[in-house]
Amino acid sequence: MLGLRKRSRSIWVVAAIVFAMLVGACTSGGKGSSAEQPAGGSGKEPAPAKTSIVLGMPSDPRTLDPHKIQDNTEWNILYHLFEPLVARDPEGEVIPGLLMGWEAADTEKKVWRLKLREGVTFHNGEPWTAEVLQYNFDRVLKEPDMTVKQYLQGITQYKVIDQHTLEITVDTPLSILLNGFIQFAVVPKQYIEQNGADKFGREPVGSGPYKFVQWRKDEHLKLAAYDQYWGAKPAIQDVTIRPIPEPASRVAALVAGEVDLIRGVSIYDVDRVKQNAGTTVVSRGGPRMWHLKMDLFREQGSPGFPAGQRNAFLDPQVRKAVYLAINIDEIIQHSLNGFAIPANQFQAPFIWGHNPNVQRPAYNPDEAKRLLAAAGYPNGFAVRLDVEEGWEHVGEAIVGHLDKVGIKVELNVAPASVYRTMTAKYETSFAFGGWGATLVNTSFDGNVYTAGKEGLGRANYGKFSDPEFDRLTDEARSTFDPDLQLERYRALQAKVADQLPIIPLFHEGIVAGTRTDLAIVIRYNEHIYAQDMKFTK
Amino acid sequence: MLAYVLKRLIQTAVVVLIVATLMFWLTRQTGDPVQMLLPADASTAEVAEMRQHLGLDQPLIVQYGRFLLSAAQGNLGVSYHYREPAMKLILERLPASLELVVSTTVISLLLGVPLGVLCAVHKGKLVDRLILGASLIGISAPPFWVSLVMILLFSLTLKWLPSSGRDGILSLLLPAGSLALYRIAFGVRIIRTGMLEILSQNYIRTARAKGLAERVVTYKHALRNTLVPFVTIVGLQMGAILSGAVVTESIFAWPGMGRLMIMAVERLDFPVIIAYAMTVAVIFAFLNLAVDLTYAALDPRVRYH
């Protein structure tokens, strides 16, 4: 009897020990030092972490190689380790950075000398020289898997003049290239040649204010301030970046004090973050322009219209009617919680290329109905609206507004992959889409230029094609006269507002959640950097 | 016995091949990965180049042929998104998922079995009714909701446990706990039913007649015999936990295979999706085999050929 009792009890003891051992063995690799996280899960009050910070981001980068990334969040993260060739201040103005300046070496402005900053080193001590810049160009133009090649388009030749001067020959205005260079980060030649691209993508070396410490994929990325950085020393010394894809989990982490800042607060969570003691919401106007695209090349057989129905969007009066029928103020107030401004053109007011003379017509459903009747649709028409997952609330509002003027819209919400595949194949008649719109040239090249011509117009889902638009876009892109360039782009903005190849809706605001004692800067291109932050206590 | 195991291994290989083929065809129906890989302002020339680089411009049968050839050499393809071997990505995250599965199983056993025994022994009394009622909630509550409620309670309100991430044993408790809730509830009911059935058997009456203490009757005889089929269920449940972990890993930002899979599906990362499906098929097959062999070891009446 005694023996049996011992055995049954010992079973639980053994089980408990095994459990503890298993978990201990498995998670010993996952234990981070809680000194770097304010709350550390221990439940105590967050220790005042003055120089170390934890950032909650919506995703983990696929690689730490800045020439192989693709989305805004990845660039945001990598711009702690790396720097773009051309630096910009938080409002987008070009400032001296890795490049001090540039001067024309010929009268036609097709040969330029780029002047490099002296005294800059990468995290491994390697110096920043014209040879390194040349290597960067070589790498992106010749190696596979590079995602940033388009930013070098227009450079026909380049050669080293001296340690800090690279001469480039271009067939496109320099201003266009300089625009692209903000996505073009600079990588160290020696380090990659010695260690290979694979290792570079896992243990990178850059020239930015923070150097690499540790990367556990999908868990965290740890960085520490680089003491030989050429620029302003950041107030924050240690940075931990945690990928938390679920928006609700991100907000929970902020409210619980496990992270100090989160990028990407959904509209629904704003109040919760504001009401929580110790956290608040910081926002600013953003560049991303959300708009409606329409089928503009098929008269019959447009996929979003019922079979046999004519494509109503071909008539400019119908497009104007849709523009007037959408009450954008109401959408911004109710569906976007006020975090947006109405748009009437691609570029937001603070982006170069914005035309201040273009106005958005006032909401006018009666005029919309009149226009529809004049176009031959007194009773409206039916159409399907394709919307990417996450934007159902705006889609539904649009459905409601258009219904009031007789347009019966069927809302089709699709995951990003389905939406992108569908629109790329022109399987849409009416789609709600967004465009980064930080660069005026790509806004027109991508959305309004004849699809497929010169490799452009990839986002022109309605195959809008107008020779006048193409001509103006070509001129704007290729003129070497900056004043003429601005004038052309402004003319294009006005033309868009007039002909409506797309229907502008709003410029999305950027919303971040932070601790109340943390001062941050949200940049014009949606990026938030640790080097811009400091604790205010 | 050896012949039996070999036969099962061959069956597994066939299943994995079928799974791979199905997933190969299915993924190609879902959309165009190239659209997810390049920035919106990349030109059509770059899109075409990328498509060719990934081999997606070839006819389906050619793609399939290439896939089979490299799979035979142990290469399941390179992730479109990460540009690293798909199998390597999965194996990197396997430990995290296994941690979750094992700790969920252990928690559900540590709590489910004793509670089930308690119910059976005190059948009909208040204790039994209360636990049964609670287990009903445990079985019906949607896992997504359970996870969020637990975060609300333990992370935000009580601030006892971290709300996400994998960083020490405390961060394991919420994800494993929310996954375990269903299993505990399930286990309670199964153990209870099993024990009740056995407790009504003749040999139990005999044991009592022999004068054995009630505890001996309960544990040595009734529970032991209940546990034998229960092992089967636990083994198969581990496979189910692995699947269910997909949602839990997303909510708790737990860096496991499941989360990798969800992101691969969103990004149309075909090689990762296929590699994941094949890995899970292998895991399930081995779990089944382990369960069958354990059963044979425990119950002398079971024979395989």
Side-chain angles (χ1 to χ4, degrees):
Chain A
M1 310 279 181
L2 279 168
L4 290 164
R5 258 227 245 148
K6 261 200 214 143
R7 198 202 295 177
S8 53
R9 196 185 308 162
S10 65
I11 288 178
W12 302 122
V13 173
V14 168
I17 293 175
V18 167
F19 174 44
M21 273 170 51
L22 270 172
V23 175
C26 289
T27 59
S28 61
K31 264 195 270 277
S33 60
S34 19
E36 300 189 66
Q37 292 181 44
S42 61
K44 300 194 213 73
E45 275 307 305
K50 302 292 186 180
T51 60
S52 81
I53 203 166
V54 183
L55 309 177
M57 291 289 191
S59 60
D60 202 37
R62 75 194 71 187
T63 172
L64 297 180
D65 183 337
H67 291 165
K68 296 184 183 175
I69 55 177
Q70 180 244 344
D71 70 47
N72 194 288
T73 305
E74 289 176 313
W75 260 297
N76 193 162
I77 293 174
L78 261 57
Y79 274 166
H80 290 82
L81 287 155
F82 297 95
E83 296 177 289
L85 187 53
V86 164
R88 287 185 184 233
D89 72 8
E91 288 313 308
E93 293 298 316
V94 172
I95 52 174
L98 288 179
L99 286 185
M100 293 304 295
W102 34 84
E103 47 187 38
D106 70 337
T107 48
E108 283 183 347
K109 301 214 179 145
K110 290 199 174 157
V111 181
W112 291 85
R113 298 228 165 148
L114 305 177
K115 298 247 162 260
L116 276 59
R117 179 181 291 270
E118 303 187 21
V120 175
T121 51
F122 287 90
H123 303 151
N124 62 342
E126 191 183 322
W128 162 236
T129 64
E131 224 182 81
V132 173
L133 180 53
Q134 181 186 56
Y135 166 78
N136 271 269
F137 285 166
D138 284 338
R139 183 183 199 239
V140 169
L141 289 172
K142 296 181 190 144
E143 298 203 16
D145 289 339
M146 300 284 132
T147 55
V148 295
K149 250 200 261 221
Q150 65 273 26
Y151 303 126
L152 297 183
Q153 208 185 29
I155 301 182
T156 53
Q157 262 184 53
Y158 45 94
K159 67 172 190 259
V160 174
I161 300 292
D162 62 46
Q163 274 250 310
H164 294 102
T165 312
L166 187 82
E167 187 178 274
I168 61 174
T169 310
V170 300
D171 62 10
T172 205
L174 189 71
S175 55
I176 302 284
L177 272 176
L178 293 178
N179 276 345
F181 284 167
I182 47 166
Q183 305 271 69
F184 186 81
V186 153
V187 302
K189 170 176 195 251
Q190 260 172 41
Y191 184 82
I192 299 180
E193 282 177 345
Q194 277 165 14
N195 296 284
D198 281 340
K199 178 151 181 211
F200 175 64
R202 284 191 311 266
E203 293 171 30
V205 155
S207 65
Y210 293 98
K211 63 180 199 276
F212 174 79
V213 172
Q214 185 194 51
W215 187 33
R216 280 231 191 83
K217 286 203 198 150
D218 289 337
E219 280 185 57
H220 61 238
L221 172 63
K222 289 200 201 248
L223 310 169
Y226 175 49
D227 50 15
Q228 304 295 325
Y229 181 59
W230 63 267
K233 302 280 177 272
I236 305 290
Q237 296 292 304
D238 298 290
V239 181
T240 304
I241 297 176
R242 279 187 52 198
I244 308 177
E246 277 292 323
S249 307
R250 225 160 35 240
V251 168
L254 179 72
V255 166
E258 295 160 26
V259 300
D260 302 309
L261 171 142
I262 54 175
R263 214 196 104 150
V265 182
S266 89
I267 318 272
Y268 307 110
D269 292 322
V270 164
D271 284 333
R272 159 176 227 116
V273 173
K274 277 200 201 152
Q275 281 156 15
N276 180 52
T279 61
T280 184
V281 159
V282 179
S283 69
R284 67 158 283 165
R288 193 167 294 267
M289 208 279 276
W290 292 88
H291 52 278
L292 293 168
K293 288 223 171 76
M294 300 151 289
D295 182 348
L296 295 171
F297 72 102
R298 279 173 289 219
E299 195 178 319
Q300 293 293 344
S302 186
F305 284 91
Q309 294 281 39
R310 193 175 162 270
N311 175 1
F313 295 126
L314 289 171
D315 189 330
Q317 290 179 101
V318 171
R319 302 201 292 272
K320 186 82 189 284
V322 173
Y323 197 21
L324 294 173
I326 295 177
N327 186 347
I328 197 66
D329 291 320
E330 196 192 278
I331 291 184
I332 292 177
Q333 220 32 61
H334 293 129
S335 308
L336 301 171
N337 223 332
F339 289 109
I341 57 174
N344 55 49
Q345 58 188 280
F346 272 111
Q347 268 55 53
F350 51 89
I351 304 274
W352 190 89
H354 175 85
N355 183 340
N357 298 321
V358 175
Q359 300 290 334
R360 188 190 176 94
Y363 170 56
N364 196 339
D366 294 322
E367 175 68 6
K369 278 194 243 180
R370 196 193 64 77
L371 283 167
L372 283 172
Y377 297 98
N379 298 316
F381 57 88
V383 70
R384 183 191 80 216
L385 173 63
D386 299 312
V387 165
E388 216 176 296
E389 239 168 39
W391 290 96
E392 299 89 327
H393 48 303
V394 173
E396 276 156 18
I398 293 176
V399 168
H401 296 178
L402 292 181
D403 185 66
K404 289 210 184 87
V405 302
I407 303 177
K408 302 276 175 268
V409 179
E410 180 207 326
L411 188 64
N412 173 32
V413 181
S417 53
V418 173
Y419 176 90
R420 288 198 211 178
T421 306
M422 172 198 243
T423 47
K425 288 199 210 157
Y426 308 109
E427 285 167 9
T428 178
S429 301
F430 196 29
F432 172 75
W435 186 264
T438 46
L439 302 177
V440 63
N441 54 307
T442 55
S443 297
F444 289 99
D445 289 346
N447 292 286
V448 165
Y449 202 72
T450 298
K453 187 168 151 193
E454 318 253 348
L456 301 172
R458 242 185 86 217
N460 191 348
Y461 308 141
K463 281 208 197 169
F464 171 75
S465 181
D466 179 338
E468 185 60 16
F469 261 104
D470 288 357
R471 187 185 69 77
L472 279 171
T473 308
D474 284 332
E475 267 177 36
R477 198 193 317 116
S478 56
T479 179
F480 286 78
D481 176 353
D483 294 321
L484 183 63
Q485 193 177 59
L486 182 60
E487 203 230 292
R488 284 287 178 272
Y489 278 125
R490 285 188 171 167
L492 279 164
Q493 309 280 19
K495 213 163 148 58
V496 164
D498 185 53
Q499 269 176 261
L500 298 176
I502 55 126
I503 296 180
L505 291 175
F506 57 90
H507 299 288
E508 183 187 358
I510 310 165
V511 185
T514 73
R515 287 164 61 130
T516 44
D517 61 350
L518 180 65
I520 69 168
V521 174
I522 306 182
R523 290 178 169 247
Y524 77 103
N525 58 353
E526 302 178 51
H527 290 185
I528 310 176
Y529 301 141
Q531 53 265 38
D532 293 333
M533 299 179 198
K534 66 173 189 281
F535 285 96
T536 59
K537 260 217 276 268
Chain B
M1 185 56 91
L2 192 62
Y4 175 73
V5 172
L6 259 143
K7 201 166 72 163
R8 288 290 292 260
L9 286 177
I10 295 175
Q11 280 176 1
T12 305
V14 170
V15 165
V16 168
L17 182 62
I18 294 176
V19 164
T21 307
L22 252 171
M23 293 309 287
F24 193 89
W25 180 80
L26 259 174
T27 48
R28 264 75 183 165
Q29 311 302 314
T30 55
D32 183 9
V34 182
Q35 300 296 340
M36 309 296 291
L37 289 173
L38 288 170
D41 52 3
S43 71
T44 47
E46 265 133 52
V47 172
E49 206 185 297
M50 177 73 82
R51 194 186 304 282
Q52 198 198 38
H53 180 59
L54 297 177
L56 289 169
D57 56 336
Q58 303 293 321
L60 204 58
I61 197 75
V62 171
Q63 292 184 40
Y64 183 58
R66 284 189 188 167
F67 167 73
L68 282 182
L69 235 88
S70 50
Q73 293 163 21
N75 172 12
L76 286 184
V78 170
S79 158
Y80 297 155
H81 179 81
Y82 293 96
R83 315 306 298 143
E84 282 195 87
M87 210 53 219
K88 171 168 177 270
L89 291 167
I90 295 197
L91 290 176
E92 272 173 4
R93 287 163 178 76
L94 192 61
S97 286
L98 283 182
E99 259 174 50
L100 208 48
V101 170
V102 167
S103 39
T104 304
T105 305
V106 170
I107 292 178
S108 60
L109 284 179
L110 282 179
L111 288 176
V113 172
L115 285 176
V117 169
L118 200 63
C119 282
V121 163
H122 297 282
K123 173 181 156 156
K125 302 202 197 119
L126 184 65
V127 155
D128 181 27
R129 297 238 181 88
L130 279 176
I131 296 181
L132 268 186
S135 77
L136 193 60
I137 299 176
I139 290 186
S140 339
F144 194 98
W145 178 82
V146 167
S147 304
L148 291 176
V149 166
M150 289 182 89
I151 293 180
L152 195 64
L153 182 60
F154 292 103
S155 303
L156 300 187
T157 314
L158 294 171
K159 295 202 201 284
W160 285 352
L161 300 169
S163 67
S164 57
R166 176 180 178 230
D167 190 26
I169 190 173
L170 283 178
S171 65
L172 180 58
L173 287 181
L174 272 188
S178 52
L179 268 176
L181 197 67
Y182 178 88
R183 317 292 154 195
I184 295 170
F186 198 62
V188 161
R189 299 180 92 92
I190 297 263
I191 295 278
R192 178 184 180 277
T193 312
M195 293 256 325
L196 286 177
E197 196 193 304
I198 288 179
L199 283 171
S200 64
Q201 300 266 343
N202 283 337
Y203 64 88
I204 296 293
R205 214 160 359 122
T206 312
R208 288 201 184 115
K210 266 164 70 177
L212 292 176
E214 195 54 30
R215 175 174 298 177
V216 173
V217 171
T218 309
Y219 290 104
K220 182 180 178 196
H221 293 289
L223 183 59
R224 263 272 284 278
N225 290 319
T226 311
L227 280 181
V228 171
F230 188 61
V231 156
T232 317
I233 293 173
V234 167
L236 297 178
Q237 285 257 305
M238 287 180 87
I241 295 173
L242 191 61
S243 324
V246 159
V247 170
T248 309
E249 283 177 16
S250 295
I251 297 176
F252 289 100
W254 189 264
M257 292 193 310
R259 201 173 110 185
L260 179 69
M261 169 62 161
I262 287 225
M263 297 196 293
V265 168
E266 280 170 12
R267 295 170 184 148
L268 302 183
D269 196 345
F270 299 159
V272 172
I273 298 174
I274 296 174
Y276 175 85
M278 290 169 75
T279 307
V280 168
V282 167
I283 292 178
F284 267 80
F286 271 99
L287 274 175
N288 278 328
L289 182 60
V291 158
D292 286 340
L293 291 176
T294 312
Y295 203 63
L298 286 178
D299 188 341
R301 294 170 295 176
V302 174
R303 292 251 182 285
Y304 294 124
H305 36 255

